Amino acid sequence: MEKNNAPLSPAEAALRDAAREYHRAPTRGKISVTPTKALSNQRDLSLAYSPGVAYPCLDIEQDPALAAEYTSRGNLVGVITNGTAVLGLGDIGPLAAKPVMEGKGCLFKKFAGVDVFDIELAERDPDKLIEIIAAMEPTLGGINLEDIKAPECFYIERELSKRMNIPVFHDDQHGTAIISSAALLNGLELVGKDIGAVKVAVSGAGAAAIACLDVMVGLGVKREHVFVCDSRGVIQSQREDAKAGKLDESKRRYCQVTTARTLADVVNGADVFLGCSAAGVLTAEMVKTMGAQPIILALANPEPEIRPELAKAARPDCIIATGRSDYPNQVNNVLCFPYIFRGALDCGATKITEGMKLACVREIAALAKAETSDEVAAAYAGQELAFGPDYLIPKPFDARLILRIAPAVAAAAAADGVATRPVEDLAAYRQSLERFVYQTGMFMRPVFNAAKAEKARVIYAEGEDERVLRAVQVALDEGIARPTLIGRPAVLEARIQRAGLRLKLGSDVAVIDPEDDPRFRQYWEAYHARMKRNGVTPEMAKSAVRRSNTAIGALAIELGDADAMICGLVGKFDRHLEQVRDLVGLAPGARQFAAMNALMLEQMTLFITDTFVNDDPSAEELADIAAMAAEEVRRFGLPPKLAFVSHSMFGSSTRPSALKMRRAHELFAAAHPEVECDGEMHGDAALSESVRQAFLPDSKLTGAANLLVLPTLDAANILFNVLKISASQGVTIGPMLLGAAKPVHILTPSATVRRIVNMTALAVADVREARLNRG
Ligand SMILES: NC(=O)C1=CN([C@@H]2O[C@H](COP(=O)(O)OP(=O)(O)OC[C@H]3O[C@@H](n4cnc5c(N)ncnc54)[C@H](OP(=O)(O)O)[C@@H]3O)[C@@H](O)[C@H]2O)C=CC1
Ligand SMILES: CC(=O)C(=O)O
Ligand SMILES: [Mg+2]
């Protein structure tokens, strides 16, 4: 970082250029304000503004609590700074601080759905700042103070907390304290040291450092074991400012009677280093003098007090955390502030209490010890993410942070008596938070519920794939399946351990070893019995079973060793389909296989068929595929609404594909009069009732279709992939294989852990449905 025009390395120069471009284009800055209500006609105008707006105004005048109902205040946080301690850049002023504050706004929104006004104030006088901020109470549901320097920040926060009836939180103090305390607790657990016995050397005595120390002392660190340096050296009783009584109260709390004068003096023999000060102040030489297995929290941003590679070179036994995302153990207050505010806003908290902060520390520390979630594994692919020296605290993209922290905060707020709208049902609240993380969460719930009730046996052809192992761990934890892995036991064991998972081969999951399994003879004989009229000899059967895990999985289902299969993570879809066609076959009454994918878009959920199997199905085949697809849509608790889409709009074209889609619709509608459907129609008419009604006011289809039947595989597959990419926030499920005699889903090599989990649940829900249908 070249605040003072020091030369940059090529990598730093590239980062600088990329950062400038990121902030400049395609839109200037990082955040904008978007209306949440339609404003497209005169009536909307009269509701949004005068005269309609007067009614909620008068209601709020009568009952101020209604502001949370009628305005966005209850979800709006002010990120407020005067720019006096911006990151480690120092006093760069409020205008230069704006990119940081916009950045905080993005994180609030992205991680917890909290809206932010970033407010940069050109005011240094603490009392005036308090007046200005306090006057903003009608606007805001919470105050996140940011990058205001010590010691003024302590006074400002204290006074605002007293005066205001909304949560006030100084992120640099308490956010940092919460996360670094969680890291400290976990680090001490790893090195087996007693918190009451450790010596802590500290660089920095500002907002972050003092708040960290206060929490750490609350957790058991002995104040007499803490030695703090500020820019003038060790804070000790013989210093001029100490003798003259000029130390701020925050520093006075950590003033020591000691002969130590420099950071090097206090680091000597220390078990813990806490840095919230400036770049590079901790040297390798100092680190060498630390106690055994030292814990180094070098948190200055953007450049830590020491880089991890230097610290590790000096002391290979050290555990180090920094504020940087390009090293393990990133201590960044983003792990906390979005979620503490989410919980506080949702219960109408009037304060952030010590209990709420400690709840965060506990949840963050515990989360690092739970095994990694699918999103985290995906977001940090290739990194070792099992609790240990390089994984002391959760990753910022851990979707479980919100699910754990916000409810814990809401519960603590209620316990501390500051929740004006206490959360009655924490489990339901936790579930509702899933909307911020798993867009599939709500949508998949009926499927998961069915799967939990059935808990059928699912066999995974690519058992050795780490994504499968992670998905199986989730399936076990969620209680949605009894898994069987096809894979070599030694490889499975090694990968389970590497991924830090808890599942046990034998007791939790069954295993079929493709190289050496007592059932081999039974399996190849079954293969031969099934295929002997297709020119397959016993030798060919043996080699086919050896070569294909999908064949083994299909035979396991056939022989009653499993109820459903997930395959397709490696190799071509068609190769897997061939095995399924030969060995599992079609369901009674089904005339072909087909595939369907689902997309959860911001505004709607769409199912699309046939995305993978039939090139150019006939009208009769399409009607059958549509029927199978509609049945599968019901599995999600949704009434299917079908549109047979085309380039033609209700007869506007007489080309063969238009006639085919029209006929497919007629056949389907005749066979399934109870289902809402129509066609052939344009894609926009499928999704918009008004577009459709302009052509056909009495269409049987109402609202937006949720199942689009496309004329060809090309059309379906292209539409699906284009939508998938253009809707960057979208989540996809599938491909769902339709028409198989037993629940089998052939995924694709790009499948994520989450998708495997979802498809497992769907396969088990299919097993349940088939069993219930059999009576
Ligand atoms: N990783 C994370 O999540 C977070 C990291 N931080 C980082 O912590 C640092 C401090 O932030 P904050 O507390 O808000 O800022 P403050 O301005 O409140 O405090 C800075 C402190 O650092 C001290 N200091 C400055 N230079 C040195 C030096 N060379 N040696 C020892 N002490 C020094 C100052 O001393 P004096 O009192 O004498 O002026 C002061 O006590 C920043 O780099 C910031 O980026 C902050 C919040 C979160
Ligand atoms: C992360 C943060 O808030 C800081 O470095 O100031
Ligand atoms: Mg900050």
Side-chain angles (χ1 to χ4, degrees):
M1 179 63 43
E2 112 265 37
K3 195 186 165 193
N4 43 19
N5 296 328
L8 294 183
S9 72
E12 287 167 332
L15 179 68
R16 174 201 59 201
D17 295 345
R20 285 175 177 163
E21 188 59 17
Y22 180 88
H23 282 79
R24 183 185 294 131
T27 311
R28 290 169 196 170
K30 298 196 288 271
I31 205 150
S32 79
V33 175
T34 316
T36 57
K37 295 287 154 67
L39 229 179
S40 53
N41 54 34
Q42 188 57 41
R43 182 170 162 73
D44 288 343
L45 199 58
S46 63
L47 296 174
Y49 201 53
S50 183
V53 70
Y55 295 99
C57 291
L58 294 172
D59 290 346
I60 294 170
E61 189 194 20
Q62 294 295 314
D63 177 4
L66 285 174
E69 291 284 312
Y70 292 142
T71 74
S72 53
R73 178 177 182 267
N75 195 44
L76 183 60
V77 166
V79 170
I80 304 181
T81 190
N82 65 354
T84 47
V86 181
L87 306 177
L89 305 174
D91 187 352
I92 61 174
L95 186 59
K98 193 166 172 70
V100 176
M101 304 310 132
E102 284 195 351
K104 291 268 169 182
C106 292
L107 301 179
F108 264 111
K109 186 72 181 180
K110 160 83 186 154
F111 289 116
V114 174
D115 290 319
V116 160
F117 283 169
D118 64 284
I119 298 168
E120 297 77 17
L121 298 171
E123 181 55 72
R124 304 177 72 88
D125 181 300
D127 288 309
K128 285 194 186 154
L129 213 47
I130 290 166
E131 288 306 321
I132 295 168
I133 297 171
M136 284 192 268
E137 184 159 341
T139 304
L140 302 166
I143 305 275
N144 186 75
L145 300 173
E146 187 67 43
D147 292 352
I148 299 176
K149 82 175 179 60
E152 299 90 297
C153 64
F154 303 123
Y155 170 66
I156 293 167
E157 190 213 5
R158 202 169 47 239
E159 289 306 306
L160 286 172
S161 295
K162 269 193 245 161
R163 279 178 63 163
M164 299 183 85
N165 222 17
I166 54 176
V168 176
F169 186 75
H170 183 199
D171 184 30
D172 297 286
Q173 288 185 57
H174 308 302
T176 320
I178 285 165
I179 296 133
S180 56
S181 297
L184 178 69
L185 289 180
N186 280 352
L188 290 176
E189 183 179 321
L190 281 175
V191 300
K193 290 188 186 175
D194 172 8
I195 194 164
V198 290
K199 175 183 175 188
V200 182
V202 186
S203 177
I210 294 292
C212 289
L213 285 175
D214 287 348
V215 174
M216 288 173 183
V217 166
L219 289 169
V221 169
K222 294 263 170 16
R223 204 177 284 263
E224 59 269 28
H225 295 168
V226 175
F227 297 85
V228 182
C229 299
D230 60 12
S231 63
R232 302 169 59 193
V234 176
I235 302 178
Q236 43 81 24
S237 54
Q238 295 308 306
R239 230 166 75 163
E240 288 308 315
D241 50 2
K243 286 205 284 194
K246 288 192 175 150
L247 278 182
D248 180 74
E249 205 282 316
S250 57
K251 290 187 181 178
R252 224 180 308 136
R253 288 207 291 279
Y254 295 98
C255 182
Q256 288 275 30
V257 178
T258 173
T259 54
R261 293 291 179 265
T262 65
L263 184 62
D265 294 342
V266 296
V267 164
N268 194 345
D271 302 287
V272 177
F273 169 82
L274 170 67
C276 296
S277 55
V281 298
L282 185 67
T283 64
E285 288 311 311
M286 294 183 205
V287 172
K288 282 184 189 157
T289 68
M290 291 185 76
Q293 292 186 284
I295 296 170
I296 299 173
L297 307 172
L299 307 184
N301 275 330
E303 189 58 46
E305 283 76 2
I306 187 168
R307 284 271 183 149
E309 60 271 21
L310 281 179
K312 287 270 183 195
R315 282 295 294 272
D317 61 339
C318 76
I319 295 180
I320 177 159
T322 68
R324 295 177 67 106
S325 56
D326 47 356
Y327 290 98
N329 295 328
Q330 185 188 12
V331 171
N332 190 295
N333 34 34
V334 70
L335 289 181
C336 172
F337 66 77
Y339 317 116
I340 198 168
F341 270 100
R342 181 74 275 153
L345 292 172
D346 288 342
C347 67
T350 53
K351 297 253 168 303
I352 302 278
T353 63
E354 290 309 305
M356 291 156 83
K357 292 176 204 160
L358 286 178
C360 293
V361 176
R362 278 195 300 274
E363 293 303 321
I364 291 170
L367 195 50
K369 290 187 255 174
E371 74 278 341
T372 319
S373 72
D374 53 350
E375 271 83 9
V376 184
Y380 300 94
Q383 294 181 29
E384 199 66 38
L385 293 183
F387 178 57
D390 281 344
Y391 189 54
L392 279 188
I393 42 172
K395 296 279 182 185
F397 280 99
D398 195 321
R400 298 165 302 174
L401 284 162
I402 190 167
L403 301 180
R404 293 187 69 144
I405 297 177
V409 167
D416 290 347
V418 298
T420 57
R421 298 186 301 273
V423 173
E424 303 288 343
D425 182 344
L426 280 171
Y429 174 53
R430 185 179 187 280
Q431 213 165 68
S432 77
L433 291 168
E434 288 180 356
R435 72 191 185 277
F436 295 115
V437 282
Y438 304 107
Q439 279 154 301
T440 46
M442 292 299 157
F443 175 71
M444 290 298 291
R445 198 149 304 280
V447 175
F448 273 72
N449 287 345
K452 276 181 188 163
E454 189 69 20
K455 227 176 166 181
R457 296 164 305 163
V458 178
I459 191 161
Y460 298 83
E462 292 87 8
E464 292 177 5
D465 190 304
E466 190 177 312
R467 290 168 296 174
V468 169
L469 296 173
R470 290 186 183 282
V472 163
Q473 182 71 65
V474 178
L476 285 169
D477 290 348
E478 292 279 321
I480 56 170
R482 286 177 287 147
T484 297
L485 295 167
I486 303 177
R488 292 159 294 173
V491 175
L492 293 173
E493 287 289 9
R495 294 193 178 162
I496 289 167
Q497 207 163 6
R498 193 179 66 190
L501 303 174
R502 292 161 293 133
L503 59 97
K504 299 262 175 299
L505 299 185
S507 51
D508 294 334
V509 295
V511 176
I512 294 182
D513 181 352
E515 290 181 349
D516 179 22
D517 196 279
R519 286 160 288 193
F520 178 60
R521 182 185 184 89
Q522 196 193 354
Y523 277 37
W524 74 253
E525 283 180 356
Y527 187 97
H528 181 245
R530 187 116 191 168
M531 300 298 290
K532 63 190 174 192
R533 299 268 167 196
N534 291 49
V536 172
T537 64
E539 279 314 309
M540 287 157 80
K542 280 183 204 167
S543 108
V545 173
R546 270 205 199 93
R547 272 200 325 265
S548 166
N549 285 8
T550 300
I552 295 174
L555 290 163
I557 295 183
E558 183 68 10
L559 294 169
D561 291 339
D563 304 308
M565 173 165 71
I566 299 292
C567 62
L569 276 92
V570 177
K572 292 187 178 157
F573 185 92
D574 287 348
R575 294 289 292 274
H576 294 278
L577 182 60
E578 217 171 278
Q579 304 283 4
V580 174
R581 201 187 295 272
D582 288 344
L583 302 173
V584 177
L586 286 166
R591 281 183 278 199
Q592 68 268 306
F593 291 97
M596 174 167 75
N597 284 73
L599 282 145
M600 261 68 53
L601 305 171
E602 220 166 301
Q603 306 293 340
M604 68 187 88
T605 294
L606 272 184
F607 291 82
I608 298 172
T609 191
D610 171 3
T611 40
F612 278 90
V613 180
N614 298 282
D615 288 335
D616 186 7
S618 67
E620 289 70 20
E621 287 171 329
L622 273 177
D624 285 350
I625 292 169
M628 294 192 292
E631 199 47 46
E632 197 71 10
V633 170
R634 285 204 182 86
R635 209 78 88 237
F636 294 85
L638 296 173
K641 293 171 151 212
L642 280 76
F644 290 79
V645 285
S646 167
H647 69 277
S648 172
M649 187 72 165
F650 300 120
S652 67
S653 161
T654 53
R655 289 169 196 255
S657 77
L659 298 178
K660 175 175 91 169
M661 295 313 283
R662 183 184 310 191
R663 178 82 187 128
H665 164 244
E666 285 166 3
L667 290 169
F668 178 86
H672 304 278
E674 76 291 356
V675 179
E676 276 195 37
C677 66
D678 216 331
E680 85 292 0
M681 69 178 87
H682 289 170
D684 55 354
L687 302 182
S688 158
E689 189 168 82
S690 58
V691 173
R692 192 162 58 244
Q693 281 191 341
F695 279 77
L696 202 67
D698 60 346
S699 172
K700 202 178 135 193
L701 180 63
T702 60
N706 56 18
L707 170 53
L708 303 185
V709 182
L710 276 289
T712 63
L713 182 141
D714 264 348
N717 192 289
I718 292 167
L719 174 65
F720 168 67
N721 280 306
V722 168
L723 283 177
K724 182 175 82 178
I725 288 297
S726 51
S728 61
Q729 306 287 327
V731 173
T732 66
I733 296 182
M736 299 166 235
L737 188 65
L738 308 173
K742 296 278 169 56
V744 171
H745 293 297
I746 305 171
L747 308 195
T748 53
S750 63
T752 57
V753 177
R754 176 169 54 194
R755 198 176 320 159
I756 301 168
V757 173
N758 284 334
M759 295 307 287
T760 299
L762 191 58
V764 178
D766 287 338
V767 173
R768 178 177 176 76
E769 188 68 17
R771 189 173 59 72
L772 295 177
N773 286 344
R774 280 197 308 273

